[in-house]
Amino acid sequence: AAGVIQSPRHLIKEKRETATLKCYPIPRHDTVYWYQQGPGQDPQFLISFYEKMQSDKGSIPDRFSAQQFSDYHSELNMSSLELGDSALYFCASSQGTSGVPEQYFGPGTRLTVT
Amino acid sequence: AQKVTQAQTEISVVEKEDVTLDCVYETRDTTYYLFWYKQPPSGELVFLIRRNSFDEQNEISGRYSWNFQKSTSSFNFTITASQVVDSAVYFCALSRGEGGSEKLVFGKGTKLTVNP
């Protein structure tokens, strides 16, 4: 079965640089979510999109922005990177409005800011 | 506000032992979903099980079983006859039930180590 695809899997950036993370949800899933997981921590919700419209927003810094495109893939743009942005970034998708709320996660992008 | 508490930070067992992971949740919603996810050392998050707030029937699926009790706001997860491959961090999570496309609120996780 198709899974959520994320790219790149690993990314190393320097402080103040920008980064773009990409996510391709499972086909026919209507909602995409982004989560940030710091070392030894639980995943924290950043933002979600339902049918290409932003549906919810969590603790996402103003330096971050995201969007979902017409082909349903999503991108998380991160600017003015800080050391504290080093984390594992997950994208997930679900078919919630069809009564299947469980979210399936991609393998994650490990971002290291030096 | 929603909150998930996993009081057990780390658990260590010997292979073939049964192990129960505790989860207590708080929510004001009348409709909600509860989940368990597994995060092995490789880092991915794997969906295991989901329960709806209106369905308290407890089930068994292979070596996994779960005990959902609304009266105590608990959603405990048991692995029977544990195996080394069960070693991972297990997260309990909660989402609102309205619409079905709601964010997950995770507990802090329980690190399970199964020793041979």
Side-chain angles (χ1 to χ4, degrees), chain B residues 21-79:
Chain B
L21 309 180
D22 298 334
C23 174
V24 174
Y25 63 92
E26 297 176 30
T27 181
R28 294 177 183 171
D29 298 314
T30 54
T31 305
Y32 50 90
Y33 297 104
L34 293 160
F35 308 84
W36 278 97
Y37 282 85
K38 173 183 179 181
Q39 187 171 41
S42 50
E44 70 270 26
L45 274 166
V46 180
F47 164 72
L48 295 177
I49 56 173
R50 178 248 300 175
R51 296 309 294 175
N52 307 333
S53 56
F54 49 84
D55 182 3
E56 288 192 71
Q57 182 178 357
N58 296 310
E59 294 186 17
I60 298 173
S61 175
R63 295 187 299 111
Y64 297 160
S65 63
W66 45 98
N67 186 343
F68 173 36
Q69 293 192 346
K70 283 179 84 169
S71 61
T72 56
S73 297
S74 65
F75 184 48
N76 298 335
F77 177 64
T78 298
I79 303 173

Side-chain angles (χ1 to χ4, degrees), chain A residues 28 30 95-101, chain B residues 99-101:
Chain A
R28 291 180 295 282
D30 53 29
Q95 206 171 2
T97 54
S98 299
V100 185
Chain B
S101 293

Side-chain angles (χ1 to χ4, degrees), chain A residues 36-68:
Chain A
Q36 177 192 58
Q37 185 179 28
Q41 298 181 7
D42 55 296
Q44 294 291 316
F45 171 73
L46 293 177
I47 196 167
S48 61
F49 294 87
Y50 169 70
E51 288 292 340
K52 295 167 279 185
M53 298 288 289
Q54 182 181 309
S55 54
D56 196 4
K57 200 170 181 181
S59 308
I60 183 170
D62 292 339
R63 300 178 288 108
F64 294 6
S65 64
Q67 58 182 323
Q68 187 176 25

